[in-house]
């Protein structure tokens, strides 16, 4: 990656003019580029000379360029042929390096259009700065012409993906802080903005991850698409992780009963794992908190005669039903007896940042029986709105996961992915990019468990489902429980093209005072 980094430094240096201070900073950065990653060097350089500008016309020029819409046919075609055709790999690399700067520029423009109270929030500003660093770095990468240059580009791409992993936490924290303002917060309606931001995030990560894995000869995979994904395997895996989080948070967890035929679908494993995990997490939390509320009511009623109280009843199980549909669809029905959603909250659950944490957590926090650090971190997270244990989203920790399997460092893991290395056996759960290992591991490899609190789980899950033409719907019976219907489309059985949001078309709506 040294050659690419030096060429980026050279291009950035020439754009700074004759400023001696800036020239000195660029010279020092250029001398030290081999000692660190290109992403870190680019960030150092940009921050040193204050290269970013709110009115930089470069962002507008890139944002105005037409986006080459990603299609499933393109992903599968390039993936199938790339194993034996190096030219396909290079074409894929050039597509990625053309597309990512344009897509980042569109989101930078959207961020520039935010209301003052939002755009000046330090967490939102952090997202803007990180996007700007990636935009300036990636747009200056010289055209990829050889496989060696592609390996360097893949390492640079992986570093930028990992640097963007905490950005979802930052967006959620910034949103919560802005909406907590007593006067202005209630006037912010930002769901369309977050839909656009997160849909673009999904697209960028799919484009980048597909290229990183395009040359990996993994059984039953074309890039990051598993052509034979066992749905029951995904459900069982999410059940294990969710019960683990629930036990660490509450000291108990309901059983999960899975029924329906065993089917396989072509899909991206990490997407399905995330959606199922979020639905199970909501269901389990509702069941546990409903059970505790009922037990508290019994205790209050039997205060004068404890003999009539008896042991607490067993928690009702969560039911997951696999329902094959028609026209290439598959629906997962997740049913719980957690008391349902109140009528006045049913629409709010789809709003980003909305969470029921704090509404019914008093009994949960007072009766938590575990002493693990994860539980204490959760309590801190609930009190402050954000703790170090927050599960971020898709993509974080992937380098560490691959490196751990290969016995090398982060750099060797990234290189292995770009070269098509890594294990080819051991099942899909050992494959890089698949599953909740990615979701549940922070940059240092430590667990980042949290049962709830971000307020992004349901709307982001629906966004993932709709990205490939599916959907997520809720049917609630207040006082009883909720049925969640996650509908998926088999990726090889329908013509799919991504939905691309044009820049500046999603202004933030401000309610009148």
């Amino acid at each position: 990656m040294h050659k690419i980094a030096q060429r980026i430094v050279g291009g950035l240096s020439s754009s700074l003019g004759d400023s001696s201070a800036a020239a000195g900073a660029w010279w020092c950065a250029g001398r030290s580029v081999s000692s660190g990653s290109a992403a870190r060097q680019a960030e150092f350089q940009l921050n040193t000379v204050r290269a970013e500008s709110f009115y930089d016309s470069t962002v507008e020029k890139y944002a105005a360029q037409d986006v080459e819409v990603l299609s499933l046919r393109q992903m599968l075609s390039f993936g199938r042929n790339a194993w034996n055709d190096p030219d396909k790999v290079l074409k894929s690399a050039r597509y990625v390096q053309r597309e990512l700067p344009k897509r980042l520029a569109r989101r930078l423009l959207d961020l520039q259009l935010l209301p003052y109270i939002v755009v000046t929030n330090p967490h939102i500003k952090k997202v803007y700065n990180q996007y700007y660093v990636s935009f300036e770095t990636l747009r200056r990468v010289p055209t990829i012409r050889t496989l060696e240059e592609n390996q360097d580009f893949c390492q640079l791409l992986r570093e930028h993906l990992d640097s963007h992993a905490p950005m979802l936490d930052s967006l959620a924290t910034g949103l919560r802080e802005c909406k907590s303002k007593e006067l202005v917060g209630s006037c912010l309606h930002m769901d369309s903005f977050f839909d656009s931001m997160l849909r673009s995030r999904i697209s960028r990560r799919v484009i980048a991850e597909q290229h990183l894995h395009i040359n990996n000869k993994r059984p039953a995979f074309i890039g990051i698409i598993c052509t034979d994904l066992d749905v029951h395997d995904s459900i069982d895996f999410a059940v294990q992780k969710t019960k683990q989080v629930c036990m660490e948070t509450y000291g108990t967890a309901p059983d999960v009963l899975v029924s329906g035929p065993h089917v396989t679908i072509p899909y991206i494993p990490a997407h399905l794992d995330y959606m199922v995990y979020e639905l199970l997490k909501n269901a389990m939390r509702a069941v546990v908190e409903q059970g505790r509320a009922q037990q508290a009511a019994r205790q209050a009623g039997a205060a004068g005669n404890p003999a009539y109280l008896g042991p607490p009843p067993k928690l009702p199980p969560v039911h997951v039903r696999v329902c094959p549909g028609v026209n290439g669809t598959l629906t997962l029905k997740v049913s719980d007896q957690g008391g349902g959603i109140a009528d006045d909250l049913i629409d709010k659950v789809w709003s980003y940042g909305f969470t029921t944490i704090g509404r019914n957590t008093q009994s949960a926090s007072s009766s938590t029986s575990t002493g693990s650090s994860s539980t204490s971190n959760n309590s801190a997270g609930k009190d402050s709105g954000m703790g170090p244990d927050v599960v971020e989203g898709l993509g974080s920790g992937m380098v560490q996961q691959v490196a751990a399997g290969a016995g090398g460092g982060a750099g060797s893991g990234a290189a292995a992915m770009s070269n098509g290395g890594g294990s080819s056996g051991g099942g899909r759960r050992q494959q890089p990019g698949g599953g909740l290992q990615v979701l549940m591991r922070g940059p240092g490899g430590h667990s980042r468990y949290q049962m709830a609190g971000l307020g992004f789980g349901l709307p982001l899950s629906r966004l993932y489902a709709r990205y490939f033409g599916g959907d997520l719907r809720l049917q609630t019976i207040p006082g009883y429980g909720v049925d969640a219907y996650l509908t998926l489309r088999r990726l090889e059985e329908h013509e799919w093209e991504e939905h691309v949001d044009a820049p500046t078309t999603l202004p933030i709506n401000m309610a009148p005072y």
Side-chain angles (χ1 to χ4, degrees):
M1 191 166 63
H2 180 69
K3 294 180 181 178
I4 284 183
Q6 291 286 12
R7 292 174 69 180
I8 294 173
V9 170
L12 286 166
S13 300
S14 64
S15 68
L16 293 175
D18 298 326
S19 169
S20 59
W26 288 115
W27 183 84
C28 292
R31 290 290 300 272
S32 63
V33 73
S34 60
S35 64
S37 71
R40 289 193 298 271
Q41 292 300 326
E43 183 171 6
F44 164 77
Q45 295 154 5
L46 290 168
N47 290 337
T48 300
V49 300
R50 306 288 184 181
E52 76 165 292
S53 169
F54 189 82
Y55 296 103
D56 187 355
S57 61
T58 305
V59 172
E60 291 188 27
K61 291 176 182 177
Y62 273 81
Q65 296 178 16
D66 290 334
V67 169
E68 300 176 51
V69 177
L70 180 68
S71 70
L72 187 63
R73 184 185 301 275
Q74 173 189 350
M75 292 175 66
L76 296 178
S77 174
F78 272 70
R80 289 192 179 103
N81 298 326
W83 294 353
N84 301 312
D85 187 355
D87 188 54
K88 288 287 187 182
V89 176
L90 298 180
K91 286 183 178 179
S92 174
R94 291 192 284 269
Y95 170 76
V96 174
Q97 70 175 147
R98 284 195 311 270
E99 282 303 297
L100 292 188
K102 292 186 289 187
R103 293 164 185 257
L104 285 168
R106 291 188 172 203
R107 303 293 72 83
L108 285 169
L109 213 56
D110 285 344
L111 285 164
Q112 290 178 6
L113 290 171
L114 288 170
Y116 181 80
I117 190 174
V118 182
V119 77
T120 55
N121 178 275
H123 301 285
I124 303 296
K125 184 65 174 177
K126 178 182 177 182
V127 175
Y128 183 92
N129 288 340
Q130 187 60 61
Y131 277 23
Y132 189 86
V133 167
S134 294
F135 167 72
E136 282 292 339
T137 304
L138 294 175
R139 78 181 183 88
R140 296 173 187 274
V141 174
T143 302
I144 306 300
R145 302 190 184 279
T146 67
L147 291 178
E148 181 182 5
E149 292 177 352
N150 178 61
Q151 293 177 13
D152 292 342
F153 177 63
C154 285
Q155 185 173 344
L156 176 67
L157 195 61
R158 171 52 60 199
E159 291 173 353
H160 278 271
L161 281 177
D162 288 341
S163 71
H164 282 225
M167 293 303 103
L168 187 59
D169 291 352
S170 298
L171 284 170
T173 307
L175 173 63
R176 180 175 293 112
E177 290 182 356
C178 292
K179 299 195 78 169
S180 68
K181 296 296 183 180
E182 185 174 356
L183 181 62
V184 182
S186 61
C187 300
L188 293 174
H189 302 291
M190 301 180 64
D191 287 345
S192 61
F193 166 78
F194 276 100
D195 272 341
S196 176
M197 285 290 292
L198 298 178
R199 188 185 298 112
S200 175
R201 173 188 170 89
I202 295 171
S203 291
R204 294 194 310 272
R205 299 194 78 90
V206 167
I207 290 171
E209 296 282 4
Q210 180 70 2
H211 177 65
L212 288 172
H213 294 281
I214 197 172
N215 204 30
N216 290 6
K217 295 183 178 180
R218 299 186 289 162
F221 272 81
I222 300 176
I224 58 171
I225 299 176
C226 179
T227 58
D228 198 25
L229 178 58
D230 190 313
V231 175
H232 273 261
D233 178 46
S234 290
I235 295 171
D236 291 342
F237 188 77
V239 167
Q240 294 174 24
K241 289 298 180 183
T242 314
K243 291 189 75 171
Q244 178 183 352
V245 177
C246 194
M247 287 294 296
E248 293 186 356
T249 304
Y250 295 109
T252 186
D255 292 331
V256 179
L257 305 181
V258 183
S259 60
H262 282 260
V263 294
T264 61
I265 61 171
Y267 214 76
I268 298 177
H271 286 201
L272 180 57
D273 290 345
Y274 177 79
M275 292 183 286
V276 176
Y277 168 72
E278 285 294 335
L279 293 178
L280 288 174
K281 191 173 65 171
N282 286 345
M284 286 192 185
R285 183 169 71 93
V287 168
V288 172
E289 293 187 355
Q290 175 78 350
R292 290 187 170 182
Q294 293 174 348
Q295 180 67 5
R298 282 191 294 270
Q299 290 175 343
N305 193 349
Y308 287 99
L309 180 60
K314 182 178 175 63
L315 294 174
V318 175
H319 292 267
V320 181
R321 175 78 184 181
V322 180
C323 310
V326 296
N327 300 324
T329 63
L330 173 77
T331 297
L332 303 183
K333 178 184 177 184
V334 180
S335 303
D336 67 69
Q337 298 177 43
I341 303 172
D343 291 335
D344 61 331
L345 299 180
I346 190 62
D347 292 329
K348 294 181 180 180
V349 299
W350 300 113
S351 294
Y352 292 96
F354 176 80
T355 175
T356 57
I357 285 291
R359 295 173 181 267
N360 299 307
T361 55
Q362 184 174 1
S363 61
S365 61
S366 63
S367 54
T368 300
S369 59
T370 62
S372 67
S373 60
S374 176
T375 302
S376 61
N377 284 341
N378 273 316
S379 299
K382 291 172 185 177
D383 292 337
S384 64
M386 179 64 64
D389 55 332
V390 171
V391 177
E392 180 274 331
L394 300 171
S396 63
M398 196 171 299
V399 172
Q400 289 84 348
Q401 179 186 347
V402 178
S412 64
M417 287 189 292
S418 63
N419 290 328
S423 173
S424 60
R428 115 173 145 80
R429 293 302 169 191
Q430 282 66 51
Q431 301 294 351
L436 284 166
Q437 300 101 321
V438 172
L439 296 176
M440 310 293 283
R441 181 175 298 147
H446 59 278
S447 297
R448 303 170 67 194
Y449 298 155
Q450 179 155 312
M451 200 64 185
L454 273 181
F456 272 47
L458 277 177
L460 184 55
S461 295
R462 185 171 68 172
L463 206 61
Y464 272 109
R466 290 179 173 179
Y467 183 76
F468 283 120
D471 203 359
L472 174 60
R473 296 176 293 108
L474 299 181
Q475 184 67 46
T476 178
I477 303 177
Y480 180 77
V482 173
D483 291 337
Y485 298 89
L486 174 62
T487 300
L488 310 172
R489 285 194 173 273
R490 301 175 63 91
L491 294 191
E492 286 186 336
E493 294 188 7
H494 77 293
E495 288 294 328
W496 171 85
E497 286 188 350
E498 64 173 329
H499 171 83
V500 177
D501 293 310
T504 73
T505 60
L506 292 167
I508 305 304
N509 295 320
M510 293 289 291
Y513 288 107

